[in-house]
Amino acid sequence: MPKKKETTQISNGNGLRDYSHLPRAKDFKKPEKLTDLQKELKKATSEALKALEEEEKKYGISVA
């Protein structure tokens, strides 16, 4: 009978996997200047979040 393969469990003691090797957002350098497209997307995101906030005030908290 073949020997079972060992499973490697990387854990931090409480059964959760250790994701410390993955890059975080702070590991990436911020761009020096935003492009026109980035500025447009930033403005659109801001407007969408403002509209969502107004809708939540009007109808209550969203489920999503």
Side-chain angles (χ1 to χ4, degrees):
M1 196 165 174
K3 188 177 180 182
K4 289 185 178 179
K5 291 183 181 178
E6 283 189 36
T7 57
T8 57
Q9 281 189 324
I10 302 170
S11 64
N12 59 4
N14 61 0
L16 300 176
R17 290 196 175 266
D18 182 17
Y19 293 106
S20 63
H21 63 285
L22 297 174
R24 306 278 184 212
K26 65 183 179 181
D27 296 336
F28 296 99
K29 189 172 77 172
K30 289 185 179 179
E32 293 177 11
K33 286 188 174 181
L34 294 178
T35 64
D36 291 336
L37 177 60
Q38 288 172 325
K39 288 178 186 177
E40 187 179 324
L41 291 172
K42 185 176 175 182
K43 184 178 177 184
T45 303
S46 177
E47 290 173 358
L49 289 174
K50 187 181 280 187
L52 177 64
E53 185 178 329
E54 290 173 5
E55 289 291 316
E56 285 179 346
K57 284 181 184 176
K58 191 175 181 180
Y59 298 110
I61 302 295
S62 67
V63 180

